[in-house]
Amino acid sequence: MRYLIAMIAAMGVALLATLFVSSPVASWVVARFTFDSPDTVADLHSFVFMAMNALGLLVGWSFGWALGGRLVKETHVE
């Protein structure tokens, strides 16, 4: 059950990061540099966009894992 909660939280946070965070952050990072080629701009924008999505996925997984640990009772065999 803990894995299911972690996966659902990871997907939810990754979706929110994709919709609201990744593109503005990628555009902000790209605006800080000077480029010689439009391809370099696109490559950096894509890299930062995907890195923010991966970070959102990891944050969501961690949050869901912690939440799942609190909600699911462990069974101890003695």
Side-chain angles (χ1 to χ4, degrees), residues 12-29:
V13 173
L15 177 65
L16 291 174
T18 301
L19 294 175
F20 299 113
V21 177
S22 297
S23 189
V25 169
S27 297
W28 178 78
V29 169

Side-chain angles (χ1 to χ4, degrees), residues 35-77:
F35 299 98
D36 295 330
S37 167
D39 291 335
T40 310
V41 175
D43 290 344
L44 181 61
H45 193 278
S46 297
F47 175 75
V48 174
F49 185 84
M50 291 306 294
M52 291 304 299
N53 289 341
L55 182 64
L57 190 67
L58 290 173
V59 168
W61 178 270
S62 300
F63 174 73
W65 188 259
L67 181 66
R70 290 193 167 264
L71 295 178
V72 177
K73 288 174 45 174
E74 298 279 335
T75 57
H76 296 286
V77 177

